[in-house]
Amino acid sequence: MISTLQKTIRPVWAVRGLHTSTVEVLKCPEDTVTASYGRFISEVKPQHLSSLVLHRSKRMVLDSIGVGLIGSTTDVFELALQHCQHMYAPDDISSVYGRRGCRLSPTLAAFVNGVATHSMDFDDTWHPATHPSGAVLPAVLALSDMMSNSKPSGPDFLLAFNVGIEIQGRLMRFSHEAHNIPKRFHPPSIVGTMGSAAACACLLSLDASQCSHALAIAASLSGAPMANAATQSKPLHIGNASRLGLEAALLASRGLEASPLILDAVAGVAGFNAFYEDYVPEPLESPKDGHVFLLEEQDMGFKRFPAHLGMHWVADAAASVHKLLVGLGPGTVSPSQVQDILLRVPKSKYINRPFPESEHEARHSFQFNACSALLDGKVTVQSFTPAALRHPDLLALLSRVRVEHPHDNPANFNSMYGEVQVTLVEGEILKGRCDTFYGHWRNPLTNESLRKKFRDNAGAVLRSEQVEGLIEVVGGLDTLGDCRDFLSQLQ
C-alpha cells in the first residue's frame, strides 16, 4: 500500500538564482526497492568510499575528461554545440570541453560534454555492458559549475560520481539480458540517465524521498534504440543521459513527484522492467551497514583505441598475427600475401559490418578493426580517418574476410574471445587469439598507460602544462577542500 500524502516543509536547494520553498512530498513505503535506493543516495557519505574505490574512480574521471577533450574535435560534437548555441538563449554558467570561454546552461553543457565523451566511442565500459562515466561526469561537472555560492569538496564530488556509477551497476545486475551485448536499447541511455540523476541528487543533498523521485523522473526520460548505433546519433545517447539525469534531479529538488515504485516489480505495471523484461530487483542496503561498492569488486575497462569494446579482442588477436606476417616477409604486410581471413567472434548484428562506409560504422566493425590491426599491428585514433577508411590495402583485405560465430563464444564482454585465422597464398595458416585484451577489467591499464592515453587525448586541445595540471589535480581530488581549482582547469 502507498502511504498517504504528507506535507513537509524543508529547503529545496541553494544554487544560482534559486531559493527555498514549501512543497508536498509523497512519502514512499519504507520497504520498497525504490525507497531503498532513495535512502542510499541520501545517506551515503564520503567515508563510505574505500581507498580502492577512490583510486579507481579517479582513474575513471581522468580518462573520461581525456576522451571528452579529444571528442571536442569531432564533427558530431561541433554539430551538437552549434545547435545548443543557436537554438537556446545564452546562459554562461557551465564550461564546455575544449572551448575556452564557451559556457552554456548546466543541462546543455552536460549534454554537449556527454556527446564529446562518446563521440569517438573511446569512453570506459563496464560489465554488465554500459558506458558509466560519460553519463555521470558531465552532469556532476555542470552542476558543480552551477553551485556558485559554495563549490563541492573533492570528496563530495567523488562521492556523487561514485553514486552515479554504483546505481548503474546495481540496476544492470538485476537482469540476465543486461549481461549480454545489447540488442534492443543502448544501456547508457537507460541506466546512464538513472546514474546521472542519482549523482546529481547526491550532490544536491536531496532527501530520500526526493532522491527516489529523481530516479523515477529519470526513468521517464530514458531509452534509445540500438538502430542508431554506428551513426552520429549514438553519442547523443550519452549526452542525453547526462543532461536528462541532471534535469530529473533538478525537477525533483523543486518538488516534482513520480512513481514511488519505479524500481519495484509490480504485476501488470511496467516500471524499470519496461527496459529489461527479466528484471528482478533487490533492495539496496544502507551504506551504514557495510555496503560494498561494485567498483571495489570489479575494475573498469579502459579502451586503448576509439572503437566499440568488442573490437579490442579481435584487434589484439589480429595484431599477434601481424607480428607473424612481418616475420615471414620484408617487414610489412601486403594483401598479396593473404588468401583468406577468418574471424571467430560473438554473434552480434550491429558490430558485424563487412564494408563500413563511415568512421562510426568502422568503430563498430569486427572486419575493419581486424584488418586494420593486420596491416598496421595496432588500431589507433588515426585508423578511422577518411584516408585510412579508403586505403586500397585495407579494402583488399576486407574483401577476403569471413566470419564465424562459435557456440562457445557468447556475446558477453566478460566471457567472449576474438580469434583471427589467416590463410596465406602458399597455404600456410596463421592464428591469433585474445581472451582478455589489455585494458579489460581483468587486465586493467597501468597508471602509466592510462596517463599516456590521457596525455595523447587531452594534448589534442590543451597545452602540455594544462594536461599535467589536470593529471595532478585529479590525482589529489579526494583531498581537495574545494573543487574550484579543478573546475577552473577545465574552463
Side-chain angles (χ1 to χ4, degrees):
M1 296 290 291
I2 298 177
S3 63
T4 58
L5 191 68
Q6 299 179 3
K7 293 184 178 180
T8 61
I9 301 177
R10 45 110 178 106
V12 179
W13 44 296
V15 295
R16 177 171 173 154
L18 297 172
H19 52 79
T20 60
S21 66
T22 300
V23 297
E24 291 185 331
V25 180
L26 180 64
K27 295 295 183 181
C28 298
E30 292 297 316
D31 59 349
T32 66
V33 173
T34 307
S36 74
Y37 273 69
R39 285 195 302 272
F40 177 86
I41 297 167
S42 67
E43 293 176 359
V44 68
K45 304 297 181 187
Q47 56 264 32
H48 293 131
L49 302 177
S50 70
S51 58
L52 181 59
V53 169
L54 288 171
H55 170 70
R56 288 177 171 175
S57 59
K58 286 189 293 183
R59 281 163 50 94
M60 293 165 67
V61 169
L62 185 70
D63 183 71
S64 189
I65 291 172
V67 299
L69 286 167
I70 194 171
S72 71
T73 66
T74 62
D75 291 341
V76 64
F77 171 81
E78 186 64 32
L79 290 171
L81 179 60
Q82 288 179 10
H83 169 73
C84 291
Q85 290 176 318
H86 295 169
M87 295 301 296
Y88 298 94
D91 198 348
D92 60 341
I93 297 174
S94 300
S95 61
V96 173
Y97 283 147
R99 294 295 189 276
R100 182 185 299 276
C102 178
R103 289 175 177 266
L104 299 171
S105 70
T107 54
L108 294 184
F111 171 68
V112 298
N113 287 340
V115 169
T117 303
H118 197 59
S119 63
M120 299 173 71
D121 219 315
F122 213 175
D123 43 333
D124 57 25
T125 310
W126 217 10
H127 176 75
T130 194
H131 302 284
S133 295
V136 172
L137 184 62
V140 176
L141 287 171
L143 183 57
S144 298
D145 280 335
M146 187 178 182
M147 302 169 82
S148 58
N149 294 331
S150 178
K151 298 297 182 189
S153 68
D156 285 339
F157 183 96
L158 283 173
L159 175 66
F161 177 78
N162 275 287
V163 165
I165 304 304
E166 179 76 358
I167 295 305
Q168 293 180 71
R170 292 290 170 180
L171 290 176
M172 296 203 77
R173 277 163 175 76
F174 298 147
S175 162
H176 176 74
E177 176 191 345
H179 282 67
N180 298 323
I181 295 177
K183 297 179 180 178
R184 298 187 301 129
F185 293 97
H186 193 205
S189 71
I190 303 169
V191 295
T193 312
M194 308 291 281
S196 172
C200 294
C202 177
L203 197 62
L204 290 168
S205 299
L206 302 189
D207 64 34
S209 180
Q210 291 171 302
C211 291
S212 296
H213 287 306
L215 292 174
I217 296 166
S220 281
L221 305 176
S222 298
M226 287 306 301
N228 269 328
T231 74
Q232 285 188 319
S233 287
K234 189 187 178 199
L236 303 184
H237 301 173
I238 306 292
N240 278 328
S242 187
R243 168 190 188 174
L244 297 174
L246 172 56
E247 288 195 353
L250 295 177
L251 288 167
S253 75
R254 291 188 178 276
L256 188 72
E257 298 172 355
S259 170
L261 299 173
I262 196 69
L263 300 181
D264 292 80
V266 180
V269 179
F272 190 76
N273 61 350
F275 302 112
Y276 298 104
E277 294 178 349
D278 63 348
Y279 169 75
V280 181
E282 295 178 6
L284 197 56
E285 70 271 20
S286 169
K288 302 174 184 176
D289 297 333
H291 176 88
V292 178
F293 279 75
L294 293 174
L295 195 57
E296 178 100 28
E297 302 172 340
Q298 179 181 288
D299 206 343
M300 193 60 52
F302 297 104
K303 299 177 179 180
R304 304 192 322 276
F305 59 88
H308 182 278
L309 193 73
M311 305 302 108
H312 289 65
W313 279 270
V314 76
D316 276 15
S320 65
V321 177
H322 169 88
K323 291 181 180 179
L324 298 175
L325 282 167
V326 168
L328 294 174
T332 59
V333 175
S334 169
S336 62
Q337 299 172 269
V338 177
Q339 176 178 303
D340 178 77
I341 302 169
L342 174 62
L343 309 182
R344 295 188 176 98
V345 293
K347 187 175 183 178
S348 182
K349 189 172 184 178
Y350 84 99
I351 46 179
N352 182 359
R353 298 176 183 273
F355 298 97
E357 297 181 358
S358 70
E359 63 168 296
H360 297 282
E361 290 187 358
R363 298 183 199 280
H364 295 74
S365 167
F366 280 129
Q367 295 88 337
F368 176 88
N369 286 273
C371 290
S372 292
L374 279 174
L375 279 175
D376 302 326
K378 58 185 177 180
V379 182
T380 69
V381 171
Q382 297 304 314
S383 301
F384 301 93
T385 61
L389 264 66
R390 296 191 299 268
H391 196 285
D393 286 352
L394 175 73
L395 297 176
L397 287 182
L398 284 173
S399 69
R400 295 166 200 178
V401 176
R402 295 181 295 119
V403 177
E404 290 182 356
H405 307 299
H407 293 301
D408 67 342
N409 198 359
N412 182 305
F413 290 143
N414 209 41
S415 52
M416 65 174 280
Y417 64 85
E419 193 169 274
V420 176
Q421 176 179 300
V422 175
T423 302
L424 303 183
V425 291
E426 296 88 356
E428 185 175 0
I429 295 176
L430 306 177
K431 292 183 179 180
R433 175 171 168 137
C434 176
D435 293 292
T436 303
F437 66 86
Y438 181 42
H440 191 277
W441 41 89
R442 291 193 301 267
N443 186 23
L445 296 182
T446 64
N447 288 336
E448 181 181 359
S449 293
L450 190 77
R451 288 171 184 156
K452 181 183 185 305
K453 176 186 174 182
F454 178 79
R455 289 185 175 103
D456 290 343
N457 288 340
V461 294
L462 299 181
R463 299 188 306 274
S464 60
E465 59 268 28
Q466 293 175 288
V467 173
E468 297 306 315
L470 276 170
I471 292 175
E472 182 177 356
V473 74
V474 173
L477 198 53
D478 54 324
T479 64
L480 289 181
D482 186 302
C483 275
R484 201 172 303 272
D485 181 45
F486 169 48
L487 297 170
S488 68
Q489 294 204 40
L490 288 172
Q491 294 164 6

PDB file of all heavy atoms in Angstrom, residues 129-142:
ATOM      1  N   ALA A 129      27.209  -4.611 -19.647  1.00  0.00           N
ATOM      2  CA  ALA A 129      27.704  -3.652 -20.616  1.00  0.00           C
ATOM      3  C   ALA A 129      27.023  -2.290 -20.532  1.00  0.00           C
ATOM      4  O   ALA A 129      25.824  -2.174 -20.762  1.00  0.00           O
ATOM      5  CB  ALA A 129      27.533  -4.210 -22.027  1.00  0.00           C
ATOM      6  N   THR A 130      27.807  -1.271 -20.213  1.00  0.00           N
ATOM      7  CA  THR A 130      27.375   0.120 -20.333  1.00  0.00           C
ATOM      8  C   THR A 130      28.607   1.009 -20.284  1.00  0.00           C
ATOM      9  O   THR A 130      29.700   0.553 -19.943  1.00  0.00           O
ATOM     10  CB  THR A 130      26.373   0.508 -19.232  1.00  0.00           C
ATOM     11  OG1 THR A 130      25.744   1.751 -19.582  1.00  0.00           O
ATOM     12  CG2 THR A 130      27.044   0.655 -17.876  1.00  0.00           C
ATOM     13  N   HIS A 131      28.428   2.286 -20.633  1.00  0.00           N
ATOM     14  CA  HIS A 131      29.488   3.287 -20.554  1.00  0.00           C
ATOM     15  C   HIS A 131      29.150   4.198 -19.369  1.00  0.00           C
ATOM     16  O   HIS A 131      28.406   5.168 -19.515  1.00  0.00           O
ATOM     17  CB  HIS A 131      29.559   4.114 -21.838  1.00  0.00           C
ATOM     18  CG  HIS A 131      29.792   3.296 -23.071  1.00  0.00           C
ATOM     19  ND1 HIS A 131      31.020   2.777 -23.380  1.00  0.00           N
ATOM     20  CD2 HIS A 131      28.950   2.909 -24.061  1.00  0.00           C
ATOM     21  CE1 HIS A 131      30.945   2.104 -24.520  1.00  0.00           C
ATOM     22  NE2 HIS A 131      29.693   2.159 -24.943  1.00  0.00           N
ATOM     23  N   PRO A 132      29.681   3.918 -18.177  1.00  0.00           N
ATOM     24  CA  PRO A 132      29.176   4.595 -16.980  1.00  0.00           C
ATOM     25  C   PRO A 132      29.629   6.034 -16.769  1.00  0.00           C
ATOM     26  O   PRO A 132      28.839   6.884 -16.360  1.00  0.00           O
ATOM     27  CB  PRO A 132      29.666   3.696 -15.843  1.00  0.00           C
ATOM     28  CG  PRO A 132      30.869   3.019 -16.389  1.00  0.00           C
ATOM     29  CD  PRO A 132      30.623   2.839 -17.852  1.00  0.00           C
ATOM     30  N   SER A 133      30.900   6.335 -17.055  1.00  0.00           N
ATOM     31  CA  SER A 133      31.424   7.661 -16.685  1.00  0.00           C
ATOM     32  C   SER A 133      30.850   8.788 -17.521  1.00  0.00           C
ATOM     33  O   SER A 133      30.564   9.878 -17.015  1.00  0.00           O
ATOM     34  CB  SER A 133      32.949   7.674 -16.792  1.00  0.00           C
ATOM     35  OG  SER A 133      33.528   6.804 -15.862  1.00  0.00           O
ATOM     36  N   GLY A 134      30.695   8.548 -18.837  1.00  0.00           N
ATOM     37  CA  GLY A 134      30.242   9.612 -19.725  1.00  0.00           C
ATOM     38  C   GLY A 134      28.854  10.115 -19.417  1.00  0.00           C
ATOM     39  O   GLY A 134      28.526  11.273 -19.705  1.00  0.00           O
ATOM     40  N   ALA A 135      28.019   9.271 -18.814  1.00  0.00           N
ATOM     41  CA  ALA A 135      26.672   9.699 -18.457  1.00  0.00           C
ATOM     42  C   ALA A 135      26.644  10.502 -17.165  1.00  0.00           C
ATOM     43  O   ALA A 135      25.708  11.277 -16.928  1.00  0.00           O
ATOM     44  CB  ALA A 135      25.763   8.469 -18.314  1.00  0.00           C
ATOM     45  N   VAL A 136      27.669  10.328 -16.322  1.00  0.00           N
ATOM     46  CA  VAL A 136      27.650  10.921 -14.982  1.00  0.00           C
ATOM     47  C   VAL A 136      28.557  12.142 -14.859  1.00  0.00           C
ATOM     48  O   VAL A 136      28.151  13.190 -14.349  1.00  0.00           O
ATOM     49  CB  VAL A 136      28.043   9.862 -13.930  1.00  0.00           C
ATOM     50  CG1 VAL A 136      28.235  10.499 -12.556  1.00  0.00           C
ATOM     51  CG2 VAL A 136      26.976   8.769 -13.859  1.00  0.00           C
ATOM     52  N   LEU A 137      29.806  12.009 -15.313  1.00  0.00           N
ATOM     53  CA  LEU A 137      30.781  13.082 -15.068  1.00  0.00           C
ATOM     54  C   LEU A 137      30.357  14.431 -15.646  1.00  0.00           C
ATOM     55  O   LEU A 137      30.449  15.455 -14.952  1.00  0.00           O
ATOM     56  CB  LEU A 137      32.154  12.671 -15.595  1.00  0.00           C
ATOM     57  CG  LEU A 137      33.275  13.676 -15.317  1.00  0.00           C
ATOM     58  CD1 LEU A 137      33.485  13.856 -13.819  1.00  0.00           C
ATOM     59  CD2 LEU A 137      34.578  13.218 -15.981  1.00  0.00           C
ATOM     60  N   PRO A 138      29.894  14.520 -16.905  1.00  0.00           N
ATOM     61  CA  PRO A 138      29.490  15.845 -17.413  1.00  0.00           C
ATOM     62  C   PRO A 138      28.383  16.485 -16.594  1.00  0.00           C
ATOM     63  O   PRO A 138      28.368  17.716 -16.419  1.00  0.00           O
ATOM     64  CB  PRO A 138      29.014  15.536 -18.844  1.00  0.00           C
ATOM     65  CG  PRO A 138      29.768  14.305 -19.228  1.00  0.00           C
ATOM     66  CD  PRO A 138      29.807  13.493 -17.968  1.00  0.00           C
ATOM     67  N   ALA A 139      27.460  15.685 -16.067  1.00  0.00           N
ATOM     68  CA  ALA A 139      26.376  16.237 -15.256  1.00  0.00           C
ATOM     69  C   ALA A 139      26.902  16.770 -13.928  1.00  0.00           C
ATOM     70  O   ALA A 139      26.516  17.856 -13.479  1.00  0.00           O
ATOM     71  CB  ALA A 139      25.303  15.173 -15.016  1.00  0.00           C
ATOM     72  N   VAL A 140      27.792  16.024 -13.290  1.00  0.00           N
ATOM     73  CA  VAL A 140      28.343  16.452 -12.000  1.00  0.00           C
ATOM     74  C   VAL A 140      29.216  17.693 -12.179  1.00  0.00           C
ATOM     75  O   VAL A 140      29.205  18.608 -11.344  1.00  0.00           O
ATOM     76  CB  VAL A 140      29.124  15.296 -11.344  1.00  0.00           C
ATOM     77  CG1 VAL A 140      29.778  15.744 -10.051  1.00  0.00           C
ATOM     78  CG2 VAL A 140      28.189  14.118 -11.056  1.00  0.00           C
ATOM     79  N   LEU A 141      29.976  17.738 -13.282  1.00  0.00           N
ATOM     80  CA  LEU A 141      30.778  18.936 -13.557  1.00  0.00           C
ATOM     81  C   LEU A 141      29.891  20.156 -13.792  1.00  0.00           C
ATOM     82  O   LEU A 141      30.143  21.249 -13.249  1.00  0.00           O
ATOM     83  CB  LEU A 141      31.661  18.700 -14.783  1.00  0.00           C
ATOM     84  CG  LEU A 141      32.859  17.763 -14.609  1.00  0.00           C
ATOM     85  CD1 LEU A 141      33.498  17.470 -15.961  1.00  0.00           C
ATOM     86  CD2 LEU A 141      33.888  18.374 -13.661  1.00  0.00           C
ATOM     87  N   ALA A 142      28.845  19.989 -14.596  1.00  0.00           N
ATOM     88  CA  ALA A 142      27.956  21.118 -14.900  1.00  0.00           C
ATOM     89  C   ALA A 142      27.247  21.605 -13.644  1.00  0.00           C
ATOM     90  O   ALA A 142      27.101  22.817 -13.429  1.00  0.00           O
ATOM     91  CB  ALA A 142      26.932  20.697 -15.950  1.00  0.00           C
TER      92      ALA A 142
END
